[in-house]
Amino acid sequence: MGDDKLHFVLLPFMAQGHAIPMIDIAKLLASRSGTTVTLLLTPLNHIRVKPILSRSSQLGAHIHVEELHFPAEEAGLPAGCENVDALPSPSLISKFCFAANMLQSQVETLLKKMMFPKQSCCLVADMGFIFAAEVSQKLGIPRIFFNGMNCFASLCIHHILTCSNILDTVSGEFEYFDVPGMPHKISFTESQVKAGMATPGNKEWREAMEKLMGNESTAYGVIFNTFEDLEHVYIRHYENVRHRKIWSIGPLSMFDKELAHNNAIIRGQTSSVDATQCLKWLDSWELGTVIYACLGSWSNLTAAQMLELGLGLEASGRPFIWVVGLRNIEWKKSLQQLMERNGYEERVRSARRGLLIWGWAPQVQILSHQAVGGFLTHCGWNSSLEGVSAGIPMVTWPLFADQFYNEKFLVDILKIGVRVGVKRVMEFGKEEEIGVQVHGDEVRKAVEELMDGGGEEGEARRRRVRELAEKAKKAVEEGGSSQIKIENFIEDVRKFTAKKAYA
């Protein structure tokens, strides 16, 4: 690597929702002239993305990989738990985060090696790595903070955490309060923000969030997977309150021109169904008639609640694809038993109206298919943005983390979604206590409202999301806002490293 090469070192967190957009960023940076890109991955995560990196290399975007030993057993985890989706129980997430932040010395050693004898390095680290600030400061290299949320959610959390004691004034779990400091009126209940992001009674999580915000405040800048026409107001406000450079470079999934057209392209894990067969099944349905339901790779709904979801999809009378993504093995077995007693899978199969996928699905390709007319989603930001990019209106079913903020954004700000009616966060360890929040008939009604058009409002909803999809497409085209932001990002980092070297 020549001295004039700007070397980007990317450290993705070991969870699909974090890693997928970071891999996309690596491919984007590697496709630019004058840059070198290295990914820091654990062995099992490296194996997962090898097909993606191989394809990227064939297209001229070469990405180097340095492997890190993941200290699973040292942190009290089972051997081989190198990704969040490999954890046998959600209760182990805190140990996993602890193990991830034990990687500091390895990352520091590798960065020193990459800087020898003279390289302009920049560390792009996921928001989950608290130690990244210390490492970059010690080595004197710029650090970029990858924020996997959107600007709207990040701005809400900032104001709730740092600008007021607003939650102390809320008397009930379901009482609405206004978020102070927002550009316009935004209201939540305590339960909706109780997702571990801003919980007054949870000292451990509150401290973790404050560390995260502090970690961001010392970075040279922040990358968001979003685009200007989607979040312009919130991007500008976030820049003002955080005093950081912000580069909005999304939707990252849309930069992969092959993705929507080539079934062999892998994004995330290998699909548990044959992508070609899945798309052929969609080919048998008319334009905009299919509802696609997926609550993410970390759904923690109980078996009883999942059955209600399935019954609601069936009762809607619409053809559907349902990705059953239960992480808990015992709950998965229980759901299979409930379905067997109910005769659910056999009915759906014989009616040829539903396709069940027990595992990972080719989501971007499914959403891009013309037969899909609605998306029932957990409101994870990657999925939400993929729905927007495909021009698909959504039924919203948030579970935890930033998902209630994203529901607010989709339904009340963008006005492209219909709530299924979830009121309470699915807290880890309390799933059985929370039980069934949404019954099959409520699922049916939400699907019908979304898919039937809902009169003038339904048509307006579809028109709005189609317009946003067109803006998303333009953002990633040559001369689009996200294309320009990527070039600005590389140039900003180049100037910053040159200035430090001169000093």
Side-chain angles (χ1 to χ4, degrees):
M1 292 175 282
D3 288 351
D4 60 334
K5 287 270 189 177
L6 183 57
H7 191 176
F8 289 97
V9 182
L10 278 71
L11 181 60
F13 193 73
M14 302 81 172
Q16 290 301 96
H18 292 248
I20 289 173
M22 282 283 271
I23 300 297
D24 287 337
I25 293 171
K27 291 192 293 183
L28 276 175
L29 294 174
S31 67
R32 265 56 183 178
S33 61
T35 63
T36 298
V37 177
T38 297
L39 276 168
L40 304 185
L41 301 170
T42 67
L44 291 181
N45 287 294
H46 185 191
I47 290 170
R48 282 188 179 188
V49 301
K50 270 186 177 179
I52 302 171
L53 301 185
S54 175
R55 182 59 182 160
S56 177
S57 183
Q58 290 171 15
L59 296 171
H62 304 285
I63 300 170
H64 306 272
V65 174
E66 291 283 354
E67 289 193 352
L68 303 166
H69 163 69
F70 191 75
E73 293 174 276
E74 296 93 315
L77 297 169
C81 277
E82 295 182 17
N83 196 290
V84 167
D85 62 22
L87 293 176
S89 168
S91 64
L92 294 173
I93 186 65
S94 59
K95 286 186 178 181
F96 187 89
C97 291
F98 179 72
N101 279 284
M102 289 171 67
L103 296 171
Q104 178 169 351
S105 62
Q106 293 183 66
V107 172
E108 192 172 319
T109 299
L110 283 170
L111 283 168
K112 284 179 180 176
K113 184 178 77 171
M114 293 172 194
M115 292 169 66
F116 181 83
K118 184 184 178 183
Q119 289 292 327
S120 298
C121 278
C122 173
L123 176 62
V124 183
D126 185 274
M127 61 197 297
F129 293 104
I130 304 299
F131 67 76
E134 184 180 336
V135 169
S136 63
Q137 288 167 6
K138 187 184 291 187
L139 299 181
I141 61 174
R143 175 177 59 91
I144 308 302
F145 184 95
F146 173 64
N147 189 327
M149 299 184 288
N150 61 18
C151 272
F152 171 78
S154 300
L155 188 62
C156 289
I157 292 167
H158 167 83
H159 286 308
I160 293 171
L161 277 176
T162 65
C163 294
S164 70
N165 296 317
I166 187 68
L167 290 177
D168 296 334
T169 68
V170 180
S171 59
E173 188 179 9
F174 301 107
E175 177 187 340
Y176 278 90
F177 67 93
D178 293 340
V179 179
M182 295 296 286
H184 45 251
K185 182 181 172 69
I186 301 292
S187 300
F188 288 100
T189 67
E190 181 186 317
S191 179
Q192 290 170 339
V193 300
K194 193 181 174 183
M197 311 304 287
T199 310
N202 190 328
K203 184 181 178 183
E204 181 182 338
W205 272 108
R206 190 179 182 95
E207 287 176 354
M209 281 305 302
E210 287 171 352
K211 282 182 182 178
L212 186 149
M213 300 295 277
N215 196 21
E216 183 192 271
S217 67
T218 59
Y220 172 57
V222 186
I223 286 177
F224 280 97
N225 182 18
T226 189
F227 61 100
E228 284 288 329
D229 279 341
L230 187 69
E231 289 200 88
H232 177 78
V233 171
Y234 306 108
I235 293 170
R236 298 289 84 79
H237 274 259
Y238 200 70
E239 281 178 327
N240 291 334
V241 300
R242 298 298 292 167
H243 308 293
R244 295 293 96 191
K245 280 182 173 289
I246 288 179
W247 301 280
S248 50
I249 63 171
L252 288 164
S253 64
M254 293 193 73
F255 278 101
D256 200 331
K257 303 301 182 185
E258 292 187 302
L259 192 59
H261 308 290
N262 188 343
N263 302 339
I265 297 299
I266 299 169
R267 182 172 170 80
Q269 298 183 41
T270 302
S271 175
S272 56
V273 295
D274 184 293
T276 302
Q277 291 301 314
C278 180
L279 298 180
K280 279 185 178 178
W281 184 87
L282 284 169
D283 287 341
S284 66
W285 297 102
E286 294 179 8
L287 178 72
T289 57
V290 177
I291 180 83
Y292 170 67
C294 178
L295 296 181
S297 58
W298 250 72
S299 168
N300 64 335
L301 295 179
T302 63
Q305 177 63 89
M306 290 292 275
L307 182 62
E308 290 293 325
L309 165 56
L311 292 172
L313 290 172
E314 181 186 22
S316 73
R318 274 80 183 161
F320 64 89
I321 293 178
W322 178 21
V323 181
V324 188
L326 277 176
R327 291 293 312 135
N328 188 299
I329 302 300
E330 293 305 315
W331 290 350
K332 189 173 182 178
K333 289 179 182 176
S334 296
L335 177 58
Q336 289 169 333
Q337 290 169 358
L338 283 175
M339 284 183 171
E340 189 174 342
R341 288 199 294 269
N342 182 273
Y344 181 80
E345 273 202 271
E346 182 56 37
R347 279 199 315 276
V348 168
R349 190 182 299 111
S350 61
R352 298 186 66 253
R353 201 176 66 243
L355 178 63
L356 271 63
I357 301 175
W358 293 83
W360 194 262
Q363 180 162 290
V364 173
Q365 290 96 323
I366 290 172
L367 288 173
S368 300
H369 197 283
Q370 62 179 5
V372 176
F375 180 17
L376 190 154
T377 175
H378 66 306
C379 303
W381 182 237
N382 289 337
S383 290
S384 299
L385 192 54
E386 286 166 6
V388 168
S389 302
I392 306 294
M394 288 165 259
V395 171
T396 59
W397 190 322
L399 303 173
F400 45 73
D402 59 333
Q403 294 163 18
F404 281 88
Y405 297 99
N406 297 337
E407 178 185 57
K408 176 73 68 173
F409 186 58
L410 294 172
V411 177
D412 296 336
I413 308 299
L414 300 180
K415 299 185 185 302
I416 59 172
V418 173
R419 287 182 175 85
V420 79
V422 180
K423 293 183 171 61
R424 185 176 175 185
V425 171
M426 289 301 295
E427 297 179 66
F428 291 121
K430 295 186 178 180
E431 292 91 347
E432 295 290 354
E433 174 190 325
I434 294 169
V436 174
Q437 290 196 76
V438 181
H439 291 278
D441 197 50
E442 294 169 294
V443 176
R444 176 189 62 77
K445 288 177 181 176
V447 169
E448 286 178 349
E449 181 178 347
L450 190 82
M451 300 298 283
D452 282 345
E456 290 183 10
E457 175 51 33
E459 184 51 43
R461 188 186 300 120
R462 291 189 177 279
R463 184 180 66 252
R464 283 189 288 267
V465 75
R466 285 195 298 266
E467 289 171 354
L468 287 172
E470 188 60 32
K471 290 177 180 178
K473 181 182 176 183
K474 289 180 179 177
V476 301
E477 290 175 347
E478 197 66 37
S481 62
S482 294
Q483 282 276 10
I484 292 170
K485 289 287 184 179
I486 292 165
E487 303 304 333
N488 289 348
F489 166 65
I490 295 172
E491 189 59 26
D492 286 345
V493 173
R494 193 182 299 281
K495 287 178 179 177
F496 183 79
T497 53
K499 184 178 178 181
K500 289 204 73 170
Y502 178 77

